[in-house]
RNA sequence: GGCCCGUUCGUCUAUCGGCUAGGACAUCUCCCUUUCACGGAGGAAAGACGGGUUCGAUUCCCGUACGGGCUACCA
């Protein structure tokens, strides 16, 4: 076993928004690192210039920041193993690729794209619909294994475009112990000769991940299950490069699946089913298309992190609500599931609701101000807003729900649903409210209990049932059939505002 | 097609050989609430299939079925 310091890395490619699965990988990396007093490092895998999307790297940082998963080392934070962008480490990879060729573990391949395509057509059969560049095919292609040394030297000298491919051994069994799956093994004759170094001199993921993990002294490598089939390539590379003793421990995380049907969760599913799959809003600079994020949908970062953690992990008890701090304490790799989990947006919203309920009003001040559009503390002071938040937060599942649940406190209702009272509206009720106006006008105190008492007294005097009058009052103050106790609302609204709204609606009901 | 991984209520999951199979979301019923929610009580709901091993299998092994992933000079 190695006693090295724990160092884990998350290495996204900047090709778009960070989706649920991506953030969960970050989370598990982070939790494991922090739990062991280790480092969580962020590396950017931007070796594919054709897919690189400007702005994506910054977006990744913003997401990590919002979630509270700040790396110890990264392209922006710096660190002892800089640079952390693969595009800036380009020169490094070539030398290792050459070393592999020299040692006979890899070879140059000069095949053109067209030749490769032709090969896939020529060797395609019903039994083998997708022929691979493997130990059989390579003997029929143009590479340093089939060409004589002089020709190869000449081609290289001429600068002929070429790639470096790993030479997979025949009939060897490669096996390793996955932290989640246990013993996993592969027969090398089943895996193809993957490209290690591309014609443009950039490494593929296979070479880069091994070289960088080695150089950056990564001790544990967590990634999605979709990487499992290429694990033998990486294992062999560690061995061929002579670094076997330093190889990190692997963990392949289960996939997050789409809610209906089967398959990996994709951005499309979110669009189709109406829920976010990205942590934060993502605008594709190529298409200008906006994909809504969990943040903008009204999720608290605590809830988002919590829901992600529970998608594939639990602590063995019935507890479901965990703070990030608690997760760091209780997380354990051996309780991560093997099977993929379908994403359930309803449950996700439940997590958010729980977090809104248990977050102190103070901490909700900022997001609520943003949603209500009141940035000026003068409009509504913090203490008042805190009172409002405490009154309504139980009925808010998303932060955006505060718009409806609390909007009427800070502004006149946009729409007053007079239709809800009009059918039963009559002279007696009109009279009652006119009198109520006078009573409230004269009252010295202005708090919920006395307002309610006065209301009921007056109702009795007019021989009306309070129940019939509460809804009209609610419509007057709130505008609709929702919100907390009506006298609590009136108390916060204040005398002037309350009377104003009653008068306003009263005239609306009289002169439609 | 090949290789790899997986399989407990509709969904997320507990169970590390003794199970009347527990919890949560969703759903249904009732209570609370003179709005809408929150909340409370309760109901319905699961071990893919077939073989072993064992006194005993959801749990261990094998096979089958089903699902998923990979099969690019993408990660």
């Amino acid at each position: 076993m190695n006693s090295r310091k724990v160092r884990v890395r998350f290495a996204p490619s900047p090709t778009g928004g960070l989706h649920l699965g991506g953030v969960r990988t970050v989370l598990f990396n982070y939790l494991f690192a922090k739990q062991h007093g280790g480092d969580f490092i962020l590396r950017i895998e931007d070796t594919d210039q054709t897919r690189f999307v400007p702005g994506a790297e910054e977006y990744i940082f913003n997401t990590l920041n919002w979630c509270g998963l700040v790396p110890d080392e990264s392209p922006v934070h710096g660190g002892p193993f800089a640079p952390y962008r693969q595009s800036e480490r380009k020169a490094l990879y070539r030398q290792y690729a050459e070393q592999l060729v020299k040692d006979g573990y890899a070879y140059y391949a000069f095949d053109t794209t067209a030749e490769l395509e032709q090969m896939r057509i020529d060797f395609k059969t019903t039994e083998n619909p997708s022929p691979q560049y493997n130990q059989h095919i390579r003997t029929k292609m143009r590479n340093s294994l089939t060409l004589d040394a002089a020709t190869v030297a000449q081609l290289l000298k001429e600068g002929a475009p070429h790639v470096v491919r790993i030479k997979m051994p025949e009939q060897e069994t490669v096996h390793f112990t996955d932290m989640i799956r246990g013993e996993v093994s592969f027969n090398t004759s089943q895996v193809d000769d993957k490209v290690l170094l591309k014609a443009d001199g950039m490494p593929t993921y296979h070479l880069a991940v091994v070289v960088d993990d080695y150089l950056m002294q990564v001790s544990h490598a967590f990634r999605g299950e979709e990487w499992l089939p290429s694990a033998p390539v990486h294992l062999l590379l560690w061995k061929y490069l002579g670094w076997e003793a330093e190889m990190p421990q692997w963990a392949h995380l289960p996939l997050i699946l789409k809610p209906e049907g089967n398959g990996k969760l994709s951005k499309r599913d979110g669009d189709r089913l109406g829920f976010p799959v990205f942590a934060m809003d993502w605008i594709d600079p190529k298409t200008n298309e906006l994909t809504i994020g969990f943040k903008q949908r009204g999720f608290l970062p605590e809830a988002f992190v919590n829901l992600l953690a529970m998608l594939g992990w639990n602590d063995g008890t019935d507890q479901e609500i965990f703070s990030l701090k608690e997760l760091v304490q209780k997380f354990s790799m051996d309780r991560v599931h093997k099977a993929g989990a379908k994403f359930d947006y309803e449950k996700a919203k439940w997590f958010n609701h729980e977090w809104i309920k248990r977050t102190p009003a103070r901490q909700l001040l900022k997001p609520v101000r943003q949603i209500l559009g009141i940035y000026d503390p003068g409009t509504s002071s913090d203490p008042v807003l805190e009172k409002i938040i405490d009154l309504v937060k139980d009925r808010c599942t998303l932060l955006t729900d505060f718009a409806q649940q609390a909007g009427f406190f800070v502004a006149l209702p946009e729409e007053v649903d007079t239709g809800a009272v009009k059918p039963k509206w009559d002279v007696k009720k009109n009279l009652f409210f006119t009198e109520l106006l006078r009573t409230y006008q004269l009252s010295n105190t202005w708090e919920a209990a006395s307002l309610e008492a006065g209301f009921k007294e007056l109702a009795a005097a007019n021989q009306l049932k309070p129940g019939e009058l509460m809804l009209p009052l609610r419509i007057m103050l709130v505008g609709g059939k929702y919100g907390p106790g009506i006298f609590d609302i009136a108390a916060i609204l204040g005398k002037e505002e309350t009377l104003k709204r009653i008068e306003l609606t009263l005239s609306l009901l009289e002169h439609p």
Side-chain angles (χ1 to χ4, degrees):
Chain A
M1 287 264 83
N2 61 52
S3 54
R4 279 186 296 161
K5 182 176 185 188
V6 166
R7 285 173 61 79
V8 300
R9 50 94 180 117
F10 177 59
S13 69
T15 54
L18 245 197
H19 59 90
L20 284 168
V23 182
R24 197 192 52 181
T25 306
V26 185
L27 212 213
F28 286 8
N29 273 293
Y30 177 90
L31 294 178
F32 188 85
K34 292 302 144 197
Q35 187 169 55
H36 293 87
D39 300 323
F40 166 51
I41 81 185
L42 177 76
R43 188 168 75 213
I44 302 289
E45 315 221 316
D46 56 348
T47 53
D48 185 0
Q49 291 134 333
T50 60
R51 294 209 317 161
F52 176 81
V53 174
E57 189 182 311
E58 191 191 349
Y59 174 89
I60 290 164
F61 277 102
N62 289 341
T63 298
L64 263 46
N65 228 33
W66 179 63
C67 295
L69 307 171
V70 182
D72 300 299
E73 297 166 26
S74 75
V76 309
H77 302 89
F81 301 98
Y84 292 86
R85 262 182 216 106
Q86 290 183 335
S87 59
E88 295 169 16
R89 323 178 108 245
K90 186 177 170 185
L92 265 167
Y93 307 110
R94 171 124 230 150
Q95 71 179 90
Y96 291 109
E98 300 288 353
Q99 183 189 319
L100 287 165
V101 174
K102 201 179 83 214
D103 296 343
Y105 297 124
Y107 58 91
Y108 300 113
F110 301 93
D111 317 283
T112 63
T113 314
E115 284 169 335
L116 287 173
E117 267 169 36
Q118 193 56 48
M119 176 276 279
R120 290 192 184 104
I121 293 166
D122 291 349
F123 293 94
K124 186 171 174 168
T125 59
T126 355
E127 297 84 52
N128 187 8
S130 44
Q132 300 185 294
Y133 204 117
N134 60 17
Q135 50 190 298
H136 301 297
I137 303 292
R138 71 175 168 233
T139 61
K140 301 179 171 72
M141 305 299 286
R142 294 177 54 235
N143 52 52
S144 58
L145 264 18
T146 57
L147 271 20
D148 60 82
T151 315
V152 171
Q154 180 64 21
L155 281 168
L156 253 23
K157 200 178 149 199
E158 284 168 6
H162 64 278
V163 301
V164 174
R165 303 188 93 110
I166 186 170
K167 187 180 168 193
M168 288 307 284
E170 287 173 40
Q171 297 297 348
E172 260 183 43
T173 302
V174 175
H175 52 92
F176 70 101
T177 307
D178 187 275
M179 292 172 81
I180 296 169
R181 270 149 238 285
E183 199 72 8
V184 183
S185 64
F186 301 85
N187 186 323
T188 56
S189 57
Q190 300 291 345
V191 348
D192 60 329
D193 291 355
K194 291 273 181 238
V195 170
L196 263 21
L197 199 69
K198 300 186 259 187
D200 63 2
M202 280 290 203
T204 59
Y205 172 82
H206 306 296
L207 212 218
V209 76
V210 172
V211 169
D212 288 342
D213 280 354
Y214 170 72
L215 261 17
M216 293 182 180
Q217 295 173 14
V218 167
S219 62
H220 299 262
F222 304 162
R223 54 179 14 171
E225 193 186 349
E226 69 268 28
W227 285 107
L228 207 43
S230 50
V233 177
H234 308 149
L235 265 314
L236 250 21
L237 249 20
W238 278 92
K239 186 176 154 193
Y240 294 162
L241 258 3
W243 305 330
E244 217 175 358
E246 272 107 325
M247 190 173 75
Q249 280 190 263
W250 299 93
H252 290 90
L253 271 23
L255 263 18
I256 295 179
L257 276 10
K258 56 181 73 179
E260 52 169 43
N262 295 298
K264 250 203 297 194
L265 182 70
S266 71
K267 187 180 87 62
R268 286 226 159 287
D269 299 310
D271 297 343
R272 193 167 44 89
L273 273 11
F275 60 78
V277 297
F278 288 164
M280 302 193 357
D281 272 5
W282 168 251
I283 299 166
D284 189 328
K286 284 173 183 161
T287 60
N288 255 338
E289 192 190 344
L290 169 80
T291 305
I292 195 141
F294 277 89
K295 182 187 176 188
Q296 286 78 4
R297 248 308 159 73
F299 277 78
L300 250 15
E302 292 86 349
F304 184 61
V305 163
N306 192 162
L307 103 234
L308 242 26
M310 298 312 286
L311 225 45
W313 176 86
N314 72 82
D315 75 341
T317 72
D318 288 340
Q319 185 178 347
E320 293 194 86
I321 303 297
F322 294 89
S323 67
L324 186 57
K325 257 198 182 131
E326 215 172 346
L327 285 171
V328 169
Q329 275 172 19
K330 299 189 173 173
F331 182 76
S332 67
M333 216 54 192
D334 53 15
R335 291 204 64 90
V336 175
H337 308 145
K338 293 181 173 78
K342 283 187 188 180
F343 177 66
D344 180 357
Y345 188 51
E346 292 306 315
K347 183 93 185 213
K349 285 195 292 192
W350 175 79
F351 275 108
N352 203 52
H353 191 189
E354 289 300 313
W355 272 98
I356 287 180
K357 280 194 287 184
R358 64 189 70 202
T359 302
R362 272 192 87 77
Q363 290 171 36
L364 258 15
L365 242 27
K366 205 177 141 192
V368 170
R369 275 192 186 285
Q370 204 166 47
I371 278 150
L372 297 181
I374 43 165
Y375 302 100
D376 176 15
T379 317
S380 216
S381 70
D382 279 359
V384 171
L385 196 55
E386 271 184 49
K387 238 191 264 178
I388 293 172
I389 291 172
D390 274 327
L391 209 52
V392 306
K393 69 178 184 172
D394 280 5
R395 42 209 345 131
C396 294
T397 298
L398 298 171
L399 286 172
T400 46
D401 292 340
F402 277 99
Q404 193 197 47
Q405 294 298 333
F408 56 82
F409 281 110
V410 297
L412 233 42
E414 280 181 29
E415 261 178 61
V416 178
D417 184 11
T418 49
V421 291
K422 211 171 253 172
K424 289 188 176 176
W425 193 252
D426 55 28
V427 192
K428 280 185 79 177
K429 284 180 184 170
N430 199 356
L431 188 69
F432 168 84
F433 278 100
T434 315
E435 281 181 37
L436 183 72
L437 228 34
R438 201 161 43 229
T439 313
Y440 277 179
Q441 183 75 57
L442 295 171
S443 85
N444 307 320
T445 57
W446 194 263
E447 44 97 22
S450 63
L451 290 174
E452 182 168 1
F455 184 90
K456 286 187 170 165
E457 234 169 74
L458 192 61
N462 281 277
Q463 292 180 316
L464 282 164
K465 283 187 216 150
E468 292 177 61
L469 303 164
M470 303 271 266
L471 184 64
L473 180 61
R474 174 170 296 280
I475 298 296
M476 289 169 179
L477 302 185
V478 176
K481 291 192 251 183
Y482 51 83
I486 194 62
F487 297 104
D488 289 322
I489 293 175
I492 289 180
L493 242 27
K495 191 179 196 170
E496 194 188 334
E497 185 67 23
T498 304
L499 297 181
K500 187 175 113 189
R501 290 189 187 187
I502 295 175
E503 272 170 9
L504 219 66
T505 321
L506 225 40
S507 65
L508 222 62
L509 282 163
E510 276 175 71
H511 321 284

